[in-house]
Amino acid sequence: MSSPSPEARELALLLVRKAEGDESILDRLLDDSDVPDDVLGFHAQQAIEKRLKAVLAFHEIDYDRTHSIGYLTSLLEHHGIDLSEGREQIEELTPWAVAARYEDRFEEVLDRPAVRGQVSVVRDWSARLLGNEE
């Protein structure tokens, strides 16, 4: 593939920086039992969502404004960008973006170590695809 435009590169880098912020929150608070699962689930979902969008932006693939990780992974796949490792697990994080934040009776329990691992896998995957851009 040819080099991305300066605008695409700039957007990808912005999204990576934003994802790094969400990941930093996870690193600092993941082991704190006083921090509710909905807060950590939200930041894990956001870190992954932003990494997926960074790869899409870098490849100049238009995407809808959404929190749906399933939509983003399908779009990547449609454009020949493989995210096979852990796809189903990261797609399960979508409800943490909205439902867990705004619904009173969201009863899912966050598997904190698993979620941290999922964020790391997507971070490493996106870093490979973005090359020296991160």
Side-chain angles (χ1 to χ4, degrees):
M1 169 171 190
S2 62
S3 243
S5 68
E7 296 81 12
R9 179 178 284 115
E10 184 178 325
L11 177 56
L13 291 174
L14 170 66
L15 290 164
V16 165
R17 285 192 304 272
K18 295 291 187 178
E20 288 170 346
D22 286 303
E23 199 168 343
S24 177
I25 289 169
L26 285 176
D27 288 340
R28 292 175 188 215
L29 300 177
L30 202 63
D31 294 329
D32 187 339
S33 61
D34 290 334
V35 177
D37 281 354
D38 66 312
V39 172
L40 297 173
F42 172 77
H43 288 289
Q45 188 282 338
Q46 286 291 290
I48 289 173
E49 176 187 322
K50 290 169 187 160
R51 294 272 182 184
L52 298 174
K53 288 179 176 178
V55 171
L56 288 164
F58 186 80
H59 287 90
E60 302 188 58
I61 300 168
D62 291 330
Y63 54 87
D64 294 336
R65 292 186 73 165
T66 182
H67 293 298
S68 173
I69 291 175
Y71 162 76
L72 298 171
T73 57
S74 293
L75 191 56
L76 287 160
E77 184 177 84
H78 176 75
H79 287 277
I81 302 170
D82 185 38
L83 178 66
S84 57
E85 188 176 354
R87 178 178 173 176
E88 292 81 23
Q89 290 82 11
I90 66 169
E91 289 177 4
E92 292 174 4
L93 288 173
T94 294
W96 294 95
V98 179
R101 298 282 286 177
Y102 299 104
E103 291 180 12
D104 188 33
R105 296 188 183 248
F106 188 80
E107 298 186 15
E108 294 294 320
V109 174
L110 190 68
D111 182 342
R112 293 178 181 210
V115 164
R116 185 64 191 96
Q118 292 162 352
V119 170
S120 295
V121 165
V122 174
R123 181 195 61 228
D124 295 346
W125 167 83
S126 68
R128 284 191 304 276
L129 290 177
L130 298 176
N132 294 330
E133 300 299 322
E134 286 197 60

